[in-house]
Amino acid sequence: ISSIQSAGTSAVVKFKAEPNSGGDRGTTITFHTTDGTKDYSSQTTLSQTGAIIDATIAEFRAAEVGDTQYRLEGVITSITNTTYGNLYLRDFSDEVYVYGIQDFSTKGLEVGDIITIVGKRAEHNDSPQVGGAVLESSILVTTATIAEVLAKPDDPTAYFMVTGEISSIVNETYGNLNLKDGDDEIYSYGCYPGWGATGEDRKYLIADKGLKVGDILTVIAPKGSYGGSPQLSGSIYFSHVSSK
């Protein structure tokens, strides 16, 4: 409470809220007074919008249900309702169900696209989900054959979903490997667990997924080159089919 001012039979109570660097917050304040015989009370509810919290999906899932707004980024792995945008979103840390995205039917989004959304931590039947989501940005991902990717110019902003057979594994720590589709082959400089992975979180996908030569692997990546040779730059794991 900042101050209490009285004017005749009325009183004005002023509140001062400290800066809020966290999520949305609120409180209920109860006022009590007495005339010596009777007690009187009234309540008022205050709410304050907080900052949007950037979070991994794992951090979001661990958060409490509430009105705090979270910013999540990841790859759409499946869409269960194309009208309302009920879908699953995955980053390097985990996956979560998004219970609708505002105006989804007008966005032209598909499985494999990379999106940034803002929404609150909700749940259904004790399962975490994103509620009240709005789309902030998106990267459309084009499904392409290895031959089609090889014919494209280098562009770090253009992402492709590519499927091929693992023909060799060059670096098991970071997932450097070669993908083959018929007579066409391309080198993937890195294969990471998911969108947003940095540092140590980029390592050990090969072992964690049990990937091996002969498996059919689907990744998402832009096309680049090194020393004049084409490559997929920093691929994101999407799915795989084991050869055995």
Side-chain angles (χ1 to χ4, degrees), residues 84-129:
Y84 297 106
N86 300 350
L87 54 84
Y88 285 89
L89 186 69
R90 186 174 70 207
D91 69 0
F92 73 95
S93 69
D94 211 333
E95 187 173 52
V96 70
Y97 184 62
V98 181
Y99 186 61
I101 296 176
Q102 182 178 326
D103 300 326
F104 180 84
S105 61
T106 67
K107 307 300 184 183
L109 296 173
E110 298 179 352
V111 169
D113 290 340
I114 302 160
I115 62 173
T116 302
I117 60 173
V118 173
K120 64 183 180 179
R121 171 67 160 80
E123 67 180 17
H124 179 67
N125 291 335
D126 297 326
S127 295
Q129 64 181 32

Side-chain angles (χ1 to χ4, degrees), residues 21-78:
S21 60
D24 294 357
R25 62 186 180 182
T27 188
T28 299
I29 300 174
T30 303
F31 298 92
H32 291 279
T33 187
T34 180
D35 62 3
T37 303
K38 294 182 178 180
D39 290 330
Y40 302 89
S41 66
S42 63
Q43 290 185 334
T44 186
T45 300
L46 303 179
S47 61
Q48 184 185 40
T49 300
I52 298 172
I53 298 176
D54 294 332
T56 66
I57 290 176
E59 290 168 341
F60 175 83
R61 289 178 61 95
E64 294 183 356
V65 172
D67 291 326
T68 298
Q69 297 291 306
Y70 294 89
R71 179 177 289 109
L72 306 174
E73 299 181 25
V75 175
I76 299 173
T77 56
S78 67

Side-chain angles (χ1 to χ4, degrees), residues 81-230:
N81 186 302
T82 57
T83 300
Y84 297 106
N86 300 350
L87 54 84
Y88 285 89
L89 186 69
R90 186 174 70 207
D91 69 0
F92 73 95
S93 69
D94 211 333
E95 187 173 52
V96 70
Y97 184 62
V98 181
Y99 186 61
I101 296 176
Q102 182 178 326
D103 300 326
F104 180 84
S105 61
T106 67
K107 307 300 184 183
L109 296 173
E110 298 179 352
V111 169
D113 290 340
I114 302 160
I115 62 173
T116 302
I117 60 173
V118 173
K120 64 183 180 179
R121 171 67 160 80
E123 67 180 17
H124 179 67
N125 291 335
D126 297 326
S127 295
Q129 64 181 32
V130 184
V134 296
L135 181 71
E136 269 200 345
S137 63
S138 61
I139 300 172
L140 302 184
V141 176
T142 303
T143 300
T145 65
I146 292 176
E148 290 170 338
V149 173
L150 290 171
K152 299 291 185 180
D154 293 359
D155 184 351
T157 66
Y159 282 75
F160 300 95
M161 180 181 285
V162 184
T163 299
E165 179 184 339
I166 300 175
S167 56
S168 65
I169 297 173
V170 180
N171 184 305
E172 291 196 1
T173 300
Y174 289 100
N176 299 354
L177 51 84
N178 285 287
L179 288 177
K180 185 177 181 181
D181 180 15
D183 295 329
D184 300 303
E185 192 169 32
I186 193 168
Y187 181 62
S188 178
Y189 183 63
C191 187
Y192 307 138
W195 184 259
T198 60
E200 291 295 309
D201 290 324
R202 288 184 166 182
K203 296 180 178 180
Y204 312 123
L205 173 77
I206 299 295
D208 290 343
K209 295 293 185 182
L211 298 178
K212 58 189 179 300
V213 172
D215 289 351
I216 304 301
L217 176 66
T218 299
V219 298
I220 296 171
K223 189 223 174 201
S225 62
Y226 180 75
S229 297

